[in-house]
Amino acid sequence: MKRIDFWGRDEYDERLLEEVLRGVKTVTCTPKVWYDQLPDEEKSEKGDIIQAFTKRNEHVANIQITDFYEIRFGEIQGEVGKRIAKGENSTLDEFIEDHIFSWEKPLQIDGYELNEDTVIVVEHFKLKDIFIDVKIDFHLVPMTEAERFKVTNWTDFELFGVASDYFYSVYKEKDFVAFVRFRQNEEGTYIYCKVNPDFEGKMDQKELMIKAEKYAKENLLATQLIHEWSSIYTYHK
């Protein structure tokens, strides 16, 4: 049976898969230059059943292709664009912005340009089977420069980075709800967490910290965790 895993900022980012499992994402799009490089057994046709995997190679669901077509990137507008964007659980403007972010630089690295004439393969699908419990989780993903700029308004302290720092944006559904900084040295792994002021009092911060601790242990191989609640590792503006 054919298989798929979904794009993420790194090998731990499962936000899109979570949307698929919740039934709110029913479209996936791929630049044709990448799609054409897939082995024939991984290419889809209408009616195909596709196994959905996590990035850790866990088979968690099956989806069925309900529509399949090609479209130029510049033609993703109007009613067709809204249909695609809705299936991507976004508005049309969000879809365009998100996919420029996702595709532009990787395509450049491969020697291609993302422009209005770039051909996109669009696959609509429906969820057939789920093999795990589904919940809306916190997702830690590597912070972008745009997100780093946003968080400067969240705190009275300016966090200055060193080589041993790891900055992560925290998302729940599509909301940018917090950020976490991990700082590793010989003493251990320091965890600094700051909630987006728009979400203070609206989320379970204990659950967030448990998620951050688990992430540090599993993905950064941290053993000694130290919660950083003071300004020892920051300086005041």
Side-chain angles (χ1 to χ4, degrees), residues 42-220:
E42 293 186 21
K43 295 178 180 178
S44 303
E45 297 179 358
K46 186 174 179 179
D48 281 349
I49 305 294
I50 313 293
Q51 295 178 325
F53 282 78
T54 70
K55 294 180 177 61
R56 297 189 179 188
N57 204 36
E58 301 165 317
H59 179 204
V60 294
N62 293 329
I63 61 176
Q64 184 173 25
I65 304 299
T66 58
D67 201 2
F68 179 98
Y69 52 90
E70 297 178 1
I71 187 171
R72 292 170 52 249
F73 190 55
E75 294 174 337
I76 301 179
Q77 54 184 302
E79 293 304 312
V80 172
K82 289 178 182 178
R83 180 187 178 219
I84 293 172
K86 182 179 180 181
E88 288 272 18
N89 191 30
S90 65
T91 67
L92 182 53
D93 287 344
E94 289 171 342
F95 173 88
I96 298 298
E97 180 180 348
D98 290 347
H99 286 78
I100 289 175
F101 172 82
S102 304
W103 293 339
E104 188 171 41
K105 288 185 179 179
L107 282 171
Q108 287 176 354
I109 292 171
D110 288 347
Y112 304 101
E113 180 183 359
L114 178 63
N115 56 40
E116 290 188 351
D117 292 323
T118 301
V119 178
I120 308 300
V121 174
V122 182
E123 297 167 279
H124 294 257
F125 59 84
K126 63 182 180 180
L127 189 60
K128 290 282 289 182
D129 309 292
I130 302 178
F131 307 122
I132 62 170
D133 294 331
V134 181
K135 73 169 187 173
I136 300 174
D137 203 357
F138 289 107
H139 295 270
L140 279 69
V141 297
M143 184 179 287
T144 66
E145 287 300 317
E147 290 164 347
R148 187 179 289 246
F149 178 77
K150 288 180 182 179
V151 304
T152 59
N153 298 318
W154 293 5
T155 176
D156 290 333
F157 299 100
E158 185 173 339
L159 305 175
F160 58 102
V162 297
S164 57
D165 284 354
Y166 301 88
F167 286 86
Y168 289 88
S169 301
V170 182
Y171 280 85
K172 192 164 190 179
E173 296 185 85
K174 284 188 170 293
D175 295 320
F176 183 14
V177 298
F179 80 88
V180 176
R181 185 192 67 187
F182 300 106
R183 171 167 288 178
Q184 293 187 308
N185 58 32
E186 64 279 0
E187 297 176 353
T189 300
Y190 288 82
I191 302 177
Y192 178 94
C193 180
K194 178 62 180 178
V195 174
N196 182 337
D198 292 340
F199 291 90
E200 288 181 355
K202 300 178 182 178
M203 51 183 280
D204 188 337
Q205 294 189 42
K206 181 178 179 181
E207 180 185 352
L208 171 58
M209 291 310 301
I210 292 172
K211 182 74 175 185
E213 290 175 350
K214 181 179 179 182
Y215 191 97
K217 291 176 181 177
E218 292 183 354
N219 303 330
L220 303 180

